[in-house]
Amino acid sequence: QSALTQPASVSGSPGQSITISCTGTSSDVDAYDYVSWYQQHPGKAPKLMIYDVSNRPSGVSNRFSGSKSGNTASLTISGLQADDEADYYCSSYTSSSRVFGGGTKLTVL
Amino acid sequence: QVHLQESGPGLVTPSETLSLTCSVSGGSISSYFWSWIRQPPGKGPEWIGYVYYSGSTKYNPSLKSRVRMSLDTSKNQFSLELTSVTAADTAVYYCARSLPNTRLRFDSWGQGTLVTVSS
């Protein structure tokens, strides 16, 4: 059982927007503004897409955005593209360690 | 650009010790936090712990009694040992880098290595 809760799957058509939620507790998501989001294509290592709730690393498209309210963080992908189809994981800092979500499979229809 | 590469046995016998090494190229091992993260098939990642370039360590409380990490600055490598393994330790094991003051933000990852625990 993962520490953070994500929906198992979401889907959307090209050009649409989707949002993936990540629910934690008062000890992780709610306590710190250190939520990250990772994208993972099959057989590949995770790639950092969002850090510190809403910041994008250099090179990541501005179609990816993050937010947080209380113990729930969210990743929004706008203008869906075929290459966005992947697994997405949230992660939160907590007490000198990191916890991850169970992952959400994004299908681009 | 830094490159991380995991190496070690792909098959470990139950009750034995899993040992992996991560080789870092394209950058120094100094001044960073170096973590091991594992991902069981079809599941989310699990942070195992980190070793700082100074040699200090921090482990996931759920694995702390079985984990040991170390680094060798002369070889630009760091290592993981996980003792008394069971089938539940079967996973893809990744090494990853974090900058100081980023609260373990993993900005570079190795490609991962599958370790299967089976007799």
Side-chain angles (χ1 to χ4, degrees), chain A residues 9-82:
Chain A
S9 63
V10 297
S11 62
S13 299
Q16 289 185 332
S17 295
I18 63 94
T19 296
I20 299 172
S21 63
C22 170
T23 302
T25 69
S26 58
S27 298
D28 39 62
V29 176
D30 197 16
Y32 304 96
D33 287 334
Y34 297 115
V35 175
S36 302
W37 289 90
Y38 294 88
Q39 176 192 65
Q40 186 177 36
H41 287 108
K44 301 295 186 181
K47 175 187 176 183
L48 181 65
M49 305 300 285
I50 295 288
Y51 67 93
D52 297 353
V53 176
S54 60
N55 293 287
R56 284 186 307 276
S58 175
V60 172
S61 170
N62 60 9
R63 298 185 299 105
F64 291 83
S65 62
S67 63
K68 190 189 85 166
S69 178
N71 67 347
T72 298
S74 298
L75 172 71
T76 298
I77 309 173
S78 60
L80 272 179
Q81 300 178 358

Side-chain angles (χ1 to χ4, degrees), chain A residues 97-98, chain B residues 46-49 58-65 67:
Chain A
S97 65
R98 273 276 174 176
Chain B
E46 178 182 34
W47 176 75
I48 300 171
K58 176 77 174 181
Y59 303 138
N60 185 322
S62 68
L63 297 167
K64 184 178 181 179
S65 63
V67 173

Side-chain angles (χ1 to χ4, degrees), chain B residues 6 20-22 35-37 47-49 69 78-80 94-95:
Chain B
E6 305 88 351
L20 296 174
T21 296
C22 182
S35 287
W36 288 97
I37 299 161
W47 176 75
I48 300 171
M69 296 182 186
F78 61 103
S79 300
L80 167 70
Y94 296 98
C95 55

Side-chain angles (χ1 to χ4, degrees), chain A residues 34 36 38 40 44-46 48 51-52 89 93 95-98 100-102, chain B residues 37 39 43-47 50 58 94 102-107 109-111:
Chain A
Y34 297 115
S36 302
Y38 294 88
Q40 186 177 36
K44 301 295 186 181
L48 181 65
Y51 67 93
D52 297 353
Y89 297 93
Y93 178 78
S95 302
S96 300
S97 65
R98 273 276 174 176
F100 287 87
Chain B
I37 299 161
Q39 186 173 24
K43 296 185 178 181
E46 178 182 34
W47 176 75
Y50 71 68
K58 176 77 174 181
Y94 296 98
T102 63
R103 301 299 193 273
L104 295 177
R105 176 200 319 162
F106 308 115
D107 60 0
W109 296 62
Q111 67 182 26

